[in-house]
Amino acid sequence: MLTSMPHIPQNLGLLGFSPLKSSSFALFLRPFSLYPIFASSPSSSRPSRPPRSAGYRRRDPSPRFPPRRKWSSFEEKKSRQRKGMSPMEKDKASSNPSSDSFGFNKRRAEGMDKFDKPKKNLKRNTRTLNPTNTIAFVQILGTGMDTQDTSPSVLLFFDKQRFIFNAGEGLQRFCTEHKIKLSKVDHIFLSRVCSETAGGLPGLLLTLAGIGEEGLSVNVWGPSDLKYLVDAMRSFIPRAAMVHTRSFGPSLTASDSTPQTGSSKPKDDPFVLVDDEVVKISAILLEPSRPEESGSSSGETSVIYVCELPEINGRFDPEKAMALGLRAGPKYGKLQSGQSVKSDFKDITVHPSDVMGPSVPGPVVLLVDCPTESHAEELLSIPSLKRFYSTDRDKLVNCIIHLSPASVTNSPTYQSWMKRFLSAQHILAGHETKNMEFPILKASSRITARLNYLCPQFFPAPGFWSPQHVNNSIDSLSKCFGSSLDETISAENLLKFTLRPHGNLGLDRSCIPSQLTSSRVINELLSEIPEMSGKTEEVKRLWNGLNNKMMIEEPWLNESTVPSCLENIRRDDMEIVLLGTGSSQPSKYRNVSAVYIDLFSKGSVLLDCGEGTLGQLKRRYGLEGADDAVRSLRCIWISHIHADHHTGLARILARRCELLKGVSHEPAIVVGPRPLKNFLDAYQRLEDLDMEFLDCRNTTATSWASLEPISPQRIASSGTGEGSLFSKGSPMQSIYKRPSSPPMDNSSALPYLKKLKKVLGEMGLEDLISFPVVHCPQAYGVILKAAERKNIAGEEIPGWKMVYSGDTRPCPQMVEASKGATVLIHEATFEDALVEEAVAKNHSTTKEAIDVGSSAGVYRIVLTHFSQRYPKIPVIDESNMHNTCIAFDMMSINMADLHVLPKIVPYFKTLFRNVVVEDDEEEEEETDDDADGLISHKVSSYFRN
């Protein structure tokens, strides 16, 4: 049994301390027991227990809902400690719940846990090829089709091989949704090296590296710019995951560490990347005729990929063989394999052409990425493509997939080039507005539509193009293509072009999913849960007054005290938009971490930026609204260097730079841990990100004090000074100030700190204060505090205070920073029964997160960052939810609605009542923050529909 379990780090020391009083800090060197985790592992000898319903913990146990075991090694330890207390001490401890100690994994917090794991030698898939391939096709993977935030991917499928072209953001999530096993992919090809085409590559490499005991690697191909991307990813991706990256084309520098293919060849000659008995894949470089259009010397090279399948031999004719004096036997096989043989009864040599029918030419597929009209001008003069323009049947191109944008494919230059290919099927896979009307990620869209029906105030309808706009776009598209291009169609999600068997050569629409509309989702909901229409009316009345029935059932919701900072607050003051509420990797229902703070006309702030954040903004606001949201970004704050919190950053910054090009503006300010700067600096050689960087350590309360005088009381009230948990002489000092970390230099950061202060003032914010938390080296939480304002009576009232935990164990710094907060957004990765696992990975359980907020006197708590083992709704104990709400992707919390927030929680029971949580025996191990992946065959099965 133990061999199937993930490796458990040894020597995990426990540190116990009070969440309120740093003086009670103590070191416990005893490693905590992991036996309870082992004891709950799958066992065929144990009878299975009934599932838990709707992710909720019922307070009254019943045979159908057995109570979960509530314990942890910390409670056992406290129990033993209490046995030795005097009665007075016991009373004191009982009356002070904040004295409970929290444990954490010190080695993980120090970043030393990676040395406890065996070093992986990542494997590449090696499979015996099947030259006769009974099935082969190319398929459109519609990532970004509806949001137009990233380039669609293309799958080239064979019986024993898989090739993917482009890996934009959301590829993993898309493949999970559509059950495409990325673990079977052998090669990834990039048509350009930029955030649009490669934004999903870092997460994909980390996911593959975490599969199985040894992990998997994949061949990655791209033009010479790939070196810059590889250099940037080294700051957070293990080198072993990138050893099979291969670039081709002219070397960018003399000291190019990335292997080059054919770097000395003329640029017009194709580079043969794969050439086996199944397929030959070549790359043709495409440079713009006017390089200045691209805006930078790097990142402008595009690639045309040519995929050629071998010809199919003609049918063997045994009658002709017998007539030529051959008897049945091994010689028949030799003739079919292309070898000549001696006749058995005649003095002649029999050649394959004597007994074989005419061969069938192998299909040819082109994938063309032509990003600008300047690139299109070069298409007309590429000599290596001329052989495909001829009428020779052996050189005919069967299918051309155009990844180019509509603005290019509609141009006269590009049109004239397309006409050179006779009888080729043209598939336009660039951003077509017709695809905006229907979501590609149907599972999450279905959840969003249901939540919108229940409570549109907190779950606004997603922004889509209007049908009129879509129809106009289709009309203009049809007018653009003349009758000579009748073989041109727009790509659809999962559209196939069959290559083998030859008899089925051509388009295959059988896999195209049905279109999902909000009206269809609501009809399904009301058919499944008829009483939802009544619940929706009850929710509406929450904004008009208290629901008496609910107040009787849930008396704790009858709350009348509202913080003074919310007095007469306007709806255009601040809104919290939770773009990603899952952990580790994107899943069907939850994207990874991102919180958008909308300050409306004053600008916006982004807290964490996991992969796919731009796409989430477009799903929330629509194309134009998302562009406005990106333009308004003034500051992006990143909590730590784990990939699920920052791999969407480059795409957001590149898009902002593109939108503001030629417009007077200030660079975005990125606040993050120092390792993030290494990534961004390396990446900026590839794309202009137009940003300025500040280390989180330069934005602590102590660092702000170096900019302007701050009273000791203000530092103490913020709870963010380094004088408690991470103070000199504390066992935690090594975590915060490791010898490998550069010393803090506030003097060099002062100009950027002043600029940030100015930006905060323009946004109506008084503070942005980072504070260290317990998760991994250089992990932080953040405080955002609004400036004071006047109420109707003209009196000064305090501004709201919002605290975001990032990833953390409960700790004194977290509680101190949250004191008096209006809103606390706290991670709640695990359910309460998995406290051992939460400690091992330095995350929090739902109850621990709520306890932090309760100890700090927080007005409202929002739980987020749920393990992907809880795809739709986490396991919670309702008795603890009196001022707390569960976060969902696309949830929008306006400060003016904050008083209503916990009142919608009981309605989730009805909405998700048919969602069943599988019992522990069937749960898979939670993935690490940047390790094990949720490949499609690993999609969690803990809820049933």
Side-chain angles (χ1 to χ4, degrees), residues 110-124:
E110 292 176 323
M112 303 298 290
D113 59 326
K114 59 185 177 183
F115 299 111
D116 298 325
K117 303 175 183 178
K119 188 174 181 180
K120 290 185 176 183
N121 296 314
L122 303 183
K123 301 183 301 181
R124 277 188 298 173

Side-chain angles (χ1 to χ4, degrees), residues 5-26:
M5 294 183 181
H7 178 75
I8 303 298
Q10 297 179 348
N11 302 322
L12 296 177
L14 288 186
L15 292 173
F17 46 83
S18 163
L20 289 178
K21 299 180 180 179
S22 59
S23 60
S24 64
F25 189 98

Side-chain angles (χ1 to χ4, degrees), residues 190-192 222-223 248 282-286 301-305 367-370:
L190 301 179
S191 62
R192 281 176 289 134
F248 49 85
S282 307
I284 301 172
L285 296 182
L286 181 61
T301 302
S302 183
V303 182
I304 300 170
Y305 287 104
L367 290 98
V368 183
D369 186 354
C370 184

Side-chain angles (χ1 to χ4, degrees), residues 464-532:
F464 293 113
W465 288 92
S466 66
Q468 181 181 0
H469 186 100
V470 174
N471 294 332
N472 291 340
S473 300
I474 296 174
D475 291 340
S476 62
L477 183 65
S478 60
K479 291 175 183 176
C480 180
F481 293 111
S483 57
S484 60
L485 288 176
D486 290 337
E487 298 299 317
T488 299
I489 64 166
S490 292
E492 296 179 77
N493 185 30
L494 299 183
L495 174 70
K496 285 183 181 180
F497 188 92
T498 302
L499 306 173
R500 295 275 197 265
H502 185 265
N504 295 335
L505 184 72
L507 293 170
D508 178 4
R509 291 185 167 87
S510 61
C511 294
I512 296 175
S514 59
Q515 295 175 339
L516 183 70
T517 62
S518 59
S519 58
R520 174 183 159 190
V521 173
I522 300 311
N523 290 336
E524 292 173 355
L525 173 63
L526 295 178
S527 174
E528 176 188 338
I529 311 175
E531 61 267 35
M532 278 309 303

Side-chain angles (χ1 to χ4, degrees), residues 363-646:
V364 178
V365 177
L366 300 186
L367 290 98
V368 183
D369 186 354
C370 184
T372 68
E373 291 190 40
S374 181
H375 287 80
E377 292 173 4
E378 288 296 298
L379 272 177
L380 300 173
S381 58
I382 295 179
S384 53
L385 287 175
K386 290 182 179 178
R387 65 190 181 105
F388 297 115
Y389 301 151
S390 69
T391 57
D392 185 351
R393 64 186 293 270
D394 294 337
K395 304 296 183 183
L396 285 180
V397 176
N398 301 86
C399 177
I400 304 178
I401 299 176
H402 302 269
L403 302 174
S404 315
S407 59
V408 174
T409 57
N410 291 344
S411 67
T413 302
Y414 199 89
Q415 293 276 303
S416 64
W417 178 77
M418 291 172 66
K419 292 177 182 178
R420 295 186 178 186
F421 297 93
L422 303 176
S423 71
Q425 175 66 67
H426 295 276
I427 301 177
L428 301 178
H431 294 157
E432 301 290 336
T433 48
K434 71 181 290 290
N435 293 316
M436 272 297 299
E437 191 176 2
F438 304 103
I440 296 298
L441 301 176
K442 294 169 66 173
S444 60
S445 299
R446 182 174 277 106
I447 294 292
T448 302
R450 289 185 168 212
L451 288 166
N452 169 252
Y453 179 77
L454 171 67
C455 182
Q457 294 85 354
F458 287 128
F459 303 97
F464 293 113
W465 288 92
S466 66
Q468 181 181 0
H469 186 100
V470 174
N471 294 332
N472 291 340
S473 300
I474 296 174
D475 291 340
S476 62
L477 183 65
S478 60
K479 291 175 183 176
C480 180
F481 293 111
S483 57
S484 60
L485 288 176
D486 290 337
E487 298 299 317
T488 299
I489 64 166
S490 292
E492 296 179 77
N493 185 30
L494 299 183
L495 174 70
K496 285 183 181 180
F497 188 92
T498 302
L499 306 173
R500 295 275 197 265
H502 185 265
N504 295 335
L505 184 72
L507 293 170
D508 178 4
R509 291 185 167 87
S510 61
C511 294
I512 296 175
S514 59
Q515 295 175 339
L516 183 70
T517 62
S518 59
S519 58
R520 174 183 159 190
V521 173
I522 300 311
N523 290 336
E524 292 173 355
L525 173 63
L526 295 178
S527 174
E528 176 188 338
I529 311 175
E531 61 267 35
M532 278 309 303
S533 58
K535 297 294 183 182
T536 300
E537 292 302 317
E538 291 180 19
V539 170
K540 288 180 182 177
R541 290 197 293 270
L542 294 177
W543 269 261
N544 302 325
L546 294 178
N547 186 312
N548 294 329
K549 179 182 177 183
M550 188 181 67
M551 292 306 108
I552 295 172
E553 295 177 353
E554 309 286 353
W556 48 268
L557 291 175
N558 191 9
E559 180 187 51
S560 58
T561 305
V562 176
S564 59
C565 63
L566 298 180
E567 182 182 337
N568 299 317
I569 195 163
R570 295 162 54 97
R571 297 199 68 83
D572 61 353
D573 190 288
M574 193 269 267
E575 186 166 271
I576 301 168
V577 181
L578 294 129
L579 299 173
T581 57
S583 67
S584 193
Q585 285 93 30
S587 73
K588 285 173 64 175
Y589 302 104
R590 294 182 184 270
N591 204 50
V592 286
S593 298
V595 182
Y596 181 75
I597 307 300
D598 190 356
L599 300 170
F600 297 93
S601 61
K602 299 186 290 292
S604 59
V605 179
L606 191 60
L607 307 179
D608 278 334
C609 188
E611 178 189 331
T613 295
L614 178 59
Q616 293 291 87
L617 278 171
K618 297 203 173 191
R619 292 183 183 95
R620 169 62 180 85
Y621 292 108
L623 253 64
E624 293 184 2
D627 284 347
D628 291 340
V630 172
R631 286 188 193 95
S632 72
L633 273 174
R634 306 292 302 278
C635 176
I636 302 176
W637 182 91
I638 304 297
S639 61
H640 61 292
I641 197 62
H642 283 163
D644 58 328
H645 290 258
H646 76 85

Side-chain angles (χ1 to χ4, degrees), residues 852-867:
V852 167
S854 299
S855 300
V858 172
Y859 177 61
R860 291 290 181 257
I861 305 168
V862 179
L863 302 182
T864 187
H865 195 268
F866 302 113
S867 165

